[in-house]
Amino acid sequence: MATHGPQNSARSTAWMERESRVLMRTYGRYPLVVDRGEGCRVWDVDGTRYLDFLGGLAVDVLGHAPRVIAEAVAQQAGQLIQTSNLLYTLPQVELAEFLVDRSPFDRVFFCNSGAEANEAAFKLARKWGKANRRGAYRVIAADNSFHGRTLATVAATANPAYRKPFEPLPEGFDFVPFNNVDALADAVTDDTVAVILEPIQAEGGLFAADDRYLADVRQVCDERNLLLILDEVQTGVGRTGTLWAHTQWGIEPDIMTLAKGLAGGFPIGAALAKEGAAVFEPGDHASTFGGNPLACSVALAVQREIDRLGLVEHTATIGRYFTERLHDLAARQPLIKEIRGRGLLIGLELHQEIAREVLVDLRDRGLIANALSARTLRFIPPLIVSQEEVDEGIAILEAALDARSAGC
């Protein structure tokens, strides 16, 4: 069985051609047709094996094909899949209790994705503003942010590349520089109701909040009577080495949004709120599939497995090891400019605009990652990744960068 090498065999090409005839052109896909996965590895249709440091874009926290998910799906699918939210179901209540017990929040709204969770947060903020700030509705977001692909979440995302094709967008969002609390405070008006931030700007290049920034923003929100929303769609569920990233800054938001790692690959999203911000009443918001028994059972099984395996602590430890190995590599590889991120949410910025070319080299050598920009690579492996797999990934990265250095 092959372990790595270039793609585009006749079999792979045939599948890619079939895809091109029937699917909308919304993704710039890698030329890789994945057939199966196990742990931190995937195999394409030709049997070529890859080390996966993309992890479903921070989704596959337990790796590929974990038994606990297969068993949860099988058990719950044989019992109850979907009823609608007009009825009570046990898994939804149990998952909500699990999240409330392990967070500073009091109530949960379940949906299907991170974008939907942020939509729910914006609607909560607007309704809260009617009762608490004389109808205030505007939300302050950060430059370089990313909050989703729906119209409202694109409107809350600063990157013009996401915005321009769909303008005019819903109004009500203002942007300020990240890590500049004075600019944020100056942007508050009588129409401002909330602030939304990512503790680490995951899609924007892996830029983390400064040590005091979130605490200072929390203070501004308290002083101005604003809600603080933290988008932890990518940073939550242990990804940064603590269960929720915001605890590393010593603050609590009023609302937190989750998705990616919550069910390890099964679609689910959640907006968690403190009692004072949980202003929805029957009829205000809904989701046909949100919080269905199957999704909630899988999410609960994944979260219990994370606890059982000690993966939050493991992520903190292996994340430090990964970062240390990258710093060691940077000391001897002049193409590396900076290493950013926390836990297993890691960005590598290069001095040259060759990240996408390096990405191809990595893939040809058996490692899957992704590029956030022309200069920045991102590594977001499953939380179960081992030290040996990190070493293997570093060795592949070093070989790819050395090959590029030799060609410069």
Side-chain angles (χ1 to χ4, degrees), residues 119-143:
E119 287 269 357
F122 297 148
K123 287 182 70 174
L124 277 172
R126 286 199 173 195
K127 184 169 186 186
W128 183 89
K130 290 183 182 297
N132 294 278
R133 283 189 57 78
R134 298 187 300 277
Y137 67 99
R138 301 190 70 84
V139 176
I140 296 174
D143 292 342

Side-chain angles (χ1 to χ4, degrees), residues 12 31-37 41-45 50 64 368:
S12 292
L32 178 59
V33 183
V34 177
D35 181 55
R36 66 182 181 92
R41 300 184 188 275
V42 296
W43 285 259
D44 69 10
V45 292
Y50 299 85
H64 295 282
I368 302 172

Side-chain angles (χ1 to χ4, degrees), residues 43-345:
W43 285 259
D44 69 10
V45 292
D46 299 305
T48 306
R49 186 182 69 177
Y50 299 85
L51 184 60
D52 182 9
F53 279 13
L54 180 60
L57 286 172
V59 168
D60 302 322
V61 290
L62 298 182
H64 295 282
R67 178 175 296 182
V68 67
I69 291 182
E71 291 175 347
V73 169
Q75 189 279 326
Q76 187 61 47
Q79 180 174 340
L80 186 67
I81 295 174
Q82 165 73 358
T83 63
S84 97
N85 282 304
L86 298 179
L87 305 175
Y88 295 90
T89 58
L90 277 62
Q92 187 179 92
V93 174
E94 290 175 333
L95 178 59
E97 288 175 338
F98 187 95
L99 294 174
V100 166
D101 288 346
R102 287 159 176 77
S103 75
F105 305 101
D106 302 299
R107 298 192 180 273
V108 185
F109 173 82
F110 288 117
C111 49
N112 310 287
S113 68
E116 290 176 70
N118 285 330
E119 287 269 357
F122 297 148
K123 287 182 70 174
L124 277 172
R126 286 199 173 195
K127 184 169 186 186
W128 183 89
K130 290 183 182 297
N132 294 278
R133 283 189 57 78
R134 298 187 300 277
Y137 67 99
R138 301 190 70 84
V139 176
I140 296 174
D143 292 342
N144 208 43
S145 62
F146 180 84
H147 297 294
R149 299 281 192 165
T150 65
L151 279 178
T153 54
V154 167
T157 294
N159 190 332
Y162 297 124
R163 299 169 58 88
K164 287 188 178 298
F166 307 104
E167 292 174 342
L169 293 167
E171 65 97 22
F173 297 93
D174 303 301
F175 298 102
V176 297
F178 191 54
N179 278 327
N180 186 330
V181 71
D182 292 334
L184 187 149
D186 289 343
V188 176
T189 71
D190 290 342
D191 290 328
T192 305
V193 70
V195 175
I196 184 167
L197 297 169
E198 303 156 271
I200 301 174
Q201 294 188 317
E203 297 294 323
L206 277 298
F207 294 100
D210 291 340
D211 289 345
R212 282 290 310 167
Y213 180 60
L214 293 183
D216 290 341
V217 172
R218 175 74 271 180
Q219 183 175 347
V220 169
C221 290
D222 291 342
E223 292 174 350
R224 306 289 186 91
N225 192 29
L226 307 175
L227 295 178
L228 176 58
I229 305 166
L230 287 187
D231 178 341
E232 291 229 33
V233 168
Q234 192 157 156
T235 60
V237 196
R239 173 59 56 180
T240 65
T242 51
L243 188 57
W244 320 121
H246 67 260
T247 61
Q248 298 177 39
W249 283 266
I251 61 105
E252 295 179 359
D254 302 293
I255 300 170
M256 176 177 71
T257 56
L258 300 174
K260 289 185 179 292
L262 192 52
F266 204 97
I268 191 169
L272 284 67
K274 292 191 173 182
E275 192 69 54
V279 293
F280 282 158
E281 298 174 293
D284 282 344
H285 199 46
S287 172
T288 297
F289 298 107
N292 68 74
L294 186 55
C296 289
S297 288
V298 173
L300 192 58
V302 168
Q303 296 310 305
R304 286 172 172 164
E305 186 73 352
I306 287 172
D307 279 358
R308 187 184 73 82
L309 297 177
L311 287 184
V312 176
E313 297 79 7
H314 172 75
T315 298
T317 301
I318 199 70
R320 283 192 296 270
Y321 179 77
F322 199 152
T323 301
E324 288 167 0
R325 289 298 317 275
L326 286 173
H327 281 289
D328 291 342
L329 177 58
R332 59 182 182 272
Q333 175 44 257
L335 284 174
I336 297 176
K337 179 181 179 181
E338 187 179 9
I339 297 145
R340 296 190 293 268
R342 300 191 183 191
L344 288 172
L345 183 60

